[in-house]
Amino acid sequence: GAVVSQHPSRVICKSGTSVKIECRSLDFQATTMFWYRQFPKQSLMLMATSNEGSKATYEQGVEKDKFLINHASLTLSTLTVTSAHPEDSSFYICSARTGREKLFFGSGTQLSVL
Amino acid sequence: GESVGLHLPTLSVQEGDNSIINCAYSNSASDYFIWYKQESGKGPQFIIDIRSNMDKRQGQRVTVLLNKTVKHLSLQIAATQPGDSAVYFCAERTGANSKLTFGKGITLSVRP
């Protein structure tokens, strides 16, 4: 299947700093990428849909100024958690859709804010 | 509201037995369903998918069954192995460009 690379896999940062997470589709072009958040023992919650060359569409309750998404190319989307706080600590996962229906996921990023 | 949910939070099976993981969905307009496997600390891994115009689809050791009458989806794993231990999620989609909605997840534990 298609490969989606997500980096970093784990990051620890101080409260108030910003963290950038990258999501790359390695062997296909992804016009649409999705960002999810997952708390321990819970399901995936969609945060936003990222379309190449346009502004991301955020789900209700997700602060777009807090979670900045950039989808500058067909193979790269980034999520920046700005002014991170301990409550932002979570597992963040990106996914990319191929031209067909299947959605492939990155390996996730565990963010810990101290 | 519309939701996708799972009947059981955990499932424990003996190695070598068959596993059946069930999922109920409530949106009758959903046209595409996927099962994902997620191991601890990793992203979801695609297992198998099925469109609403089908009622059964088979893969390697896995079978997905769709019963649109009762809005029920199941994943069958044949000859369950220790490596199958993970959390399994069903997901539904309504329309070609719509987002996926994930169920709550069920933990499959394989006893040696």
Side-chain angles (χ1 to χ4, degrees):
Chain A
V3 178
V4 176
S5 175
Q6 186 173 342
H7 179 80
S9 59
R10 182 178 295 272
V11 58
I12 301 172
C13 69
K14 293 182 179 180
S15 184
T17 61
S18 295
V19 174
K20 179 184 284 188
I21 303 170
E22 292 188 349
C23 181
R24 294 180 184 273
S25 56
L26 296 186
D27 51 359
F28 66 100
Q29 293 183 330
T31 55
T32 304
M33 290 186 175
F34 303 87
W35 287 95
Y36 294 83
R37 184 174 182 177
Q38 186 179 32
F39 292 104
K41 300 188 183 301
Q42 293 192 21
S43 188
L44 283 73
M45 293 172 42
L46 180 65
M47 299 175 65
T49 301
S50 169
N51 291 296
E52 186 267 337
S54 63
K55 292 183 178 180
T57 302
Y58 290 82
E59 294 298 301
Q60 189 174 7
V62 178
E63 300 176 59
K64 57 183 178 182
D65 294 331
K66 174 76 172 178
F67 300 99
L68 299 179
I69 292 173
N70 184 280
H71 193 160
S73 76
L74 287 171
T75 60
L76 174 64
S77 178
T78 61
L79 168 67
T80 301
V81 183
T82 62
S83 187
H85 292 284
E87 58 265 29
D88 298 323
S89 298
S90 188
F91 193 57
Y92 293 87
I93 311 171
C94 72
S95 67
R97 185 162 60 198
T98 67
R100 295 169 291 177
E101 296 166 311
K102 292 182 181 178
L103 201 62
F104 293 92
F105 286 82
S107 54
T109 298
Q110 182 64 52
L111 172 63
S112 299
V113 184
L114 305 179
Chain B
E2 301 289 3
S3 65
V4 177
L6 297 175
H7 293 302
L8 299 173
T10 59
L11 176 65
S12 180
V13 299
Q14 189 72 39
E15 180 179 356
D17 288 351
N18 296 333
S19 302
I20 301 176
I21 303 172
N22 296 305
C23 176
Y25 65 95
S26 58
N27 190 344
S28 58
S30 292
D31 63 349
Y32 181 59
F33 305 86
I34 310 176
W35 280 102
Y36 287 96
K37 172 187 180 183
Q38 186 179 27
E39 296 176 341
S40 180
K42 297 183 179 180
Q45 177 186 356
F46 174 90
I47 301 174
I48 193 168
D49 59 355
I50 188 168
R51 297 188 183 189
S52 59
N53 61 353
M54 303 172 67
D55 54 19
K56 180 179 180 179
R57 190 159 188 233
Q58 289 185 298
Q60 187 177 10
R61 277 203 311 122
V62 295
T63 301
V64 56
L65 298 177
L66 175 63
N67 186 330
K68 294 181 289 295
T69 301
V70 295
K71 301 189 188 69
H72 185 267
L73 188 71
S74 69
L75 176 69
Q76 299 179 1
I77 304 174
T80 312
Q81 302 170 359
D84 295 326
S85 295
V87 177
Y88 289 80
F89 293 97
C90 65
E92 65 168 346
R93 189 200 67 184
T94 307
N97 294 316
S98 68
K99 61 187 180 184
L100 282 181
T101 300
F102 282 82
K104 295 181 180 179
I106 183 168
T107 300
L108 177 64
S109 177
V110 182
R111 303 188 302 273

